[in-house]
Amino acid sequence: MNEKSKFLKNREKLSRHHTKSFSKLSRDRKDLAAHKAMRALAICVSILVPVFILVLFLRARPILATHNISTLLFSTTWRPNQGSFGFFPFIMGTLWVTMVAMIISVPLSLLTAIYLAEYTRPKVRAFIMPLIDLLAGIPSVVYGIWGVLTVVPFIQKVVMPSADRWLGFSPLFQTSNPTGYGVLAGGIVLAVMVFPIIIAVSEEVIRTVPLGLREASWSVGASRWQTIRRIVLRRAFPGVIAAVMLGFSRAFGETMAVLMVVGNVVQIPHSIFDAAYPLTALIANNYGEMMSIPLYDAALLGAALILLLVVLTFNIGSRLVLARISYS
Amino acid sequence: MSQALPLNTHSSPHLRIQDLNVWYETNHALRGIYAEIPTFGITAIIGPSGCGKTTLLRSLNRLLEEGEGIRVKGQVWLNEVDIYDRVMDLNELRTRVGLLAPKPYPLPLSIYENVAYGRRIHGLDVLDKGNGRNLDRKVEHYLRTAGLWEEVKDRLKAPASALSTGQQQRLCLARALAVEPEILLCDEPTSALDPISAQGIEEQLITLKENTTIVIVTHLLRQASRMADYVIFLWMGELVECGPAKELFKNPKDSRTQAYLMGKIG
Ligand SMILES: Nc1ncnc2c1ncn2[C@@H]1O[C@H](COP(=O)(O)OP(=O)(O)O)[C@@H](O)[C@H]1O
Ligand SMILES: [Mg+2]
């Protein structure tokens, strides 16, 4: 038998084999099985979040049962081995860092989004948008390293001396913590991390404003900028707020990059140069250690529950707004 | 309904279009257009769909070039100034040459603020000593001119989006008129409207033509014959024939105009 006929024969056998195993009946059965498996998977994934909430709640119950909610949230004493679990310093740490991040990133991202949506040609936009999206794909530990290597020294050597000279009168800029690790460092790192979210979402929202509306404004002699400020942004406002909320929820829950640069001192920050200890850092630094202390584990999971609920609220809220925009 | 008005033969034209060419990328959409648009009265641009009516209209306030990949070559003289000259101020041009779009786009503001918008942009009422009462009077005046005042006078602060489409189009007319343009361009202004609202808009425009130059694009021959004093007939990007409405409708010279008017083409 020469090579060719062997090949042909083999092929024939193969195809016979195929027709047999993929007979209609078995194909249907496999299809059905695949369908069921995928459906089960989809259901599992979609109930993950409620399951997370439930588990966190159950595991946090011991502390919720023995401590008043408002004491947990507003007490400033964090002495786990004496049974005092006040989250307030951590909540304030998170809020400070998130606020500084938003103050830096919201104006810059909105201006970028306006520029991309209103002033660039599609070709330029198609070139720049992926570059901005790349920022979203950088692992957060890399941002953390960048923060340690660049942002912290920059704050220590450049920002703090000039703040001392020009802004020393305000308690917001007191430089009693000379390390550079603190709220501002965390805020800057976080700001860069939320850029791509706020830019991408608000750019899209701004571009959904109909061209006819801009033309209506131009047609009475309004300039481009007047049109953007008075008409386009007004129309896009709910979506821009949603974009900011989405960025906020990202900043609120970000852990690794922040804990590498905020200093991690349990205190309520009073200046942007003070060290802080955000909720996420509390959980990441301490979970799995000192678990012999009673209620410690429950307290950390309680903190995780708070974090999850806040982030989810902002996330769902902004998604609802954005969904309504894309349907209208 | 149309009455005798001074035509471009014995008054200087308001707009003089000279060798106007427009390309969408490589599509040569308007080819060497020469035309004169008389001062006051209604000039109708007619022709089959896709012949370049909208393109011609939007080249007259240079809204056209806001789109992507569009190239314009030629001159359009507005009172001895070429609007395509490099020194032309676009915002001033668009204040003087207003536009009413086919579909109403109320601004996301109140009814009152929609009409006041252009006046505020240009600070037309800043010397007003009457605490905004001058602006109030102007808003009322233009809402009356557009035939909308009676319907909205009790809810001026309501959002404009709450109005019906017909009311919105009249609001857009009031908004366009409020900056006192000398020319008003209308692109199929009744195409999105019910017959009653359409008739309302037609009547407002006919009143306006006494002291405003109106250019209207329409694919409705009946509308053109009801309203127009002067007609421009476009065919595949070229100006085939133009002239006083009565003459052109009665004795079209070009065979394509004849065919179009008889409903044989387009
Ligand atoms: N934005 C655009 N991009 C590309 N081609 C266009 C665009 N607008 C119009 N055209 C083309 O230019 C020609 C004239 O269009 P238009 O002025 O809208 O015609 P009309 O208003 O008479 O229906 C058509 O061939 C149309 O396909
Ligand atoms: Mg058209």
Side-chain angles (χ1 to χ4, degrees):
Chain A
M1 208 187 287
N2 66 13
E3 282 302 309
K4 190 167 176 193
S5 65
K6 218 197 295 183
F7 170 71
L8 284 175
K9 198 155 199 164
N10 257 336
R11 203 170 65 168
E12 204 178 78
K13 211 157 68 190
L14 255 178
S15 72
R16 213 176 318 125
H17 174 73
H18 261 96
T19 39
K20 202 152 68 194
S21 72
F22 282 91
S23 70
K24 183 158 190 320
L25 192 67
S26 96
R27 197 168 57 218
D28 281 357
R29 208 179 298 136
K30 279 190 179 172
D31 209 34
L32 197 66
H35 184 130
K36 278 192 171 159
M38 288 188 287
R39 186 173 60 192
L41 202 61
I43 290 172
C44 283
V45 172
S46 54
I47 61 171
L48 268 183
V49 168
V51 167
F52 272 144
I53 295 177
L54 187 67
V55 169
L56 282 179
F57 178 73
L58 291 178
R59 297 284 302 269
R61 227 173 32 188
I63 198 145
L64 297 175
T66 52
H67 291 66
N68 197 321
I69 273 274
S70 71
T71 325
L72 284 177
L73 291 180
F74 298 113
S75 158
T76 55
T77 348
W78 178 259
R79 287 204 198 87
N81 35 21
Q82 291 164 27
S84 306
F85 296 98
F87 289 140
F88 196 63
F90 305 100
I91 293 174
M92 287 311 282
T94 293
L95 287 180
W96 267 78
V97 175
T98 309
M99 282 307 152
V100 168
M102 299 310 276
I103 288 169
I104 298 170
S105 89
V106 167
L108 293 178
S109 342
L110 289 190
L111 287 174
T112 310
I114 291 171
Y115 172 73
L116 287 173
E118 298 284 320
Y119 289 97
T120 54
R121 288 180 302 133
K123 271 182 197 151
V124 180
R125 193 184 310 135
F127 177 75
I128 295 179
M129 274 321 278
L131 292 181
I132 292 173
D133 285 342
L134 271 185
L135 284 178
I138 296 177
S140 77
V141 68
V142 175
Y143 280 105
I145 291 170
W146 169 67
V148 171
L149 293 182
T150 314
V151 179
V152 169
F154 175 73
I155 290 173
Q156 193 187 21
K157 301 208 176 73
V158 180
V159 182
M160 299 219 307
S162 28
D164 255 343
R165 192 168 319 145
W166 308 109
L167 301 164
F169 59 87
S170 160
L172 209 55
F173 302 102
Q174 287 307 312
T175 55
S176 46
N177 162 31
T179 61
Y181 286 87
V183 170
L184 182 60
I188 292 176
V189 171
L190 269 188
V192 177
M193 296 180 75
V194 300
F195 273 153
I197 299 174
I198 304 184
I199 292 175
V201 176
S202 49
E203 191 260 359
E204 211 172 301
V205 166
I206 291 171
R207 277 202 293 135
T208 60
V209 175
L211 179 62
L213 214 49
R214 294 179 177 80
E215 292 187 342
S217 172
W218 295 334
S219 296
V220 294
S223 70
R224 271 194 113 82
W225 177 243
Q226 285 168 327
T227 301
I228 292 167
R229 203 164 52 85
R230 298 188 185 215
I231 304 301
V232 178
L233 287 186
R234 181 183 295 265
R235 178 68 180 260
F237 187 72
V240 169
I241 292 299
V244 170
M245 274 162 51
L246 218 53
F248 182 91
S249 74
R250 170 89 162 98
F252 202 87
E254 172 51 37
T255 307
M256 182 49 90
V258 180
L259 79 80
M260 289 171 77
V261 297
V262 280
N264 299 328
V265 177
V266 185
Q267 62 176 18
I268 297 172
H270 292 287
S271 140
I272 60 165
F273 299 112
D274 283 351
Y277 208 148
L279 276 173
T280 48
L282 167 72
I283 301 163
N285 281 340
N286 297 300
Y287 195 80
E289 297 184 14
M290 303 191 287
M291 290 315 235
S292 55
I293 299 172
L295 289 181
Y296 198 86
D297 158 90
L300 291 186
L301 292 168
L305 183 63
I306 296 171
L307 199 67
L308 183 62
L309 290 180
V310 172
V311 168
L312 276 180
T313 307
F314 276 85
N315 231 293
I316 294 171
S318 55
R319 274 167 211 282
L320 287 179
V321 175
L322 290 171
R324 239 188 49 200
I325 291 171
S326 59
Y327 285 129
S328 68
Chain B
M1 224 181 248
S2 67
Q3 62 212 67
L5 270 150
L7 297 169
N8 65 331
T9 41
H10 35 87
S11 82
S12 72
H14 206 155
L15 285 168
R16 198 149 45 82
I17 302 163
Q18 213 166 35
D19 195 18
L20 187 71
N21 290 273
V22 175
W23 290 265
Y24 292 101
E25 307 288 353
T26 55
N27 173 10
H28 197 171
L30 280 185
R31 300 158 183 264
I33 303 289
Y34 286 85
E36 292 185 344
I37 289 168
T39 307
F40 301 154
I42 297 181
T43 298
I45 303 175
I46 62 168
S49 172
C51 68
K53 304 183 294 296
T54 299
T55 307
L56 178 58
L57 192 78
R58 288 160 61 94
S59 71
L60 301 181
N61 69 347
R62 295 187 57 182
L63 204 55
L64 185 62
E65 66 209 67
E66 298 289 349
E68 271 298 302
I70 294 167
R71 198 154 64 83
V72 184
K73 200 171 138 283
Q75 287 134 34
V76 176
W77 298 89
L78 168 63
N79 304 338
E80 308 316 314
V81 187
D82 176 15
I83 67 168
Y84 281 96
D85 194 286
R86 223 176 300 129
V87 300
M88 188 73 215
D89 176 353
L90 280 187
N91 301 329
E92 192 208 321
L93 171 68
R94 290 170 187 166
T95 312
R96 291 169 59 190
V97 184
L99 178 83
L100 186 58
K103 187 171 165 258
Y105 279 101
L107 302 173
L109 302 166
S110 68
I111 294 171
Y112 180 99
E113 287 302 327
N114 258 273
V115 184
Y117 179 70
R119 299 189 72 83
R120 289 197 195 278
I121 289 281
H122 298 294
L124 290 181
D125 305 287
V126 286
L127 295 178
D128 177 12
K129 299 271 187 343
N131 286 328
R133 238 177 292 138
N134 192 25
L135 185 57
D136 290 351
R137 267 200 308 276
K138 290 289 184 189
V139 168
E140 174 177 348
H141 171 75
Y142 290 108
L143 282 171
R144 280 189 191 282
T145 312
L148 190 59
W149 174 252
E150 291 302 326
E151 291 157 65
V152 300
K153 63 182 177 192
D154 298 324
R155 46 174 175 151
L156 292 173
K157 289 209 163 64
S161 52
L163 298 174
S164 74
T165 311
Q167 290 171 324
Q168 286 182 3
Q169 188 66 327
R170 278 176 283 156
L171 182 68
C172 291
L173 178 60
R175 180 181 66 205
L177 296 175
V179 292
E180 299 166 13
E182 45 187 286
I183 300 177
L184 183 64
L185 311 172
C186 311
D187 190 357
E188 312 208 2
T190 61
S191 59
L193 305 185
D194 60 279
I196 305 275
S197 310
Q199 192 190 347
I201 290 277
E202 276 187 24
E203 283 165 9
Q204 310 308 333
L205 292 180
I206 288 169
T207 319
L208 282 167
K209 75 176 183 179
E210 303 299 330
N211 50 17
T212 312
T213 298
I214 293 177
V215 186
I216 181 173
V217 159
T218 179
H219 67 275
L220 306 171
L221 276 177
R222 292 164 138 288
Q223 188 171 52
S225 64
R226 275 195 301 269
M227 300 175 71
D229 302 295
Y230 194 81
V231 177
I232 292 172
F233 174 58
L234 292 184
W235 171 254
M236 293 175 68
E238 280 174 41
L239 189 151
V240 169
E241 191 168 347
C242 61
K246 279 189 181 140
E247 276 173 43
L248 190 135
F249 283 131
K250 205 181 283 169
N251 294 315
K253 294 186 188 75
D254 193 282
S255 58
R256 288 166 294 183
T257 321
Q258 290 163 3
Y260 180 69
L261 292 180
M262 311 237 312
K264 284 187 187 149
I265 54 174

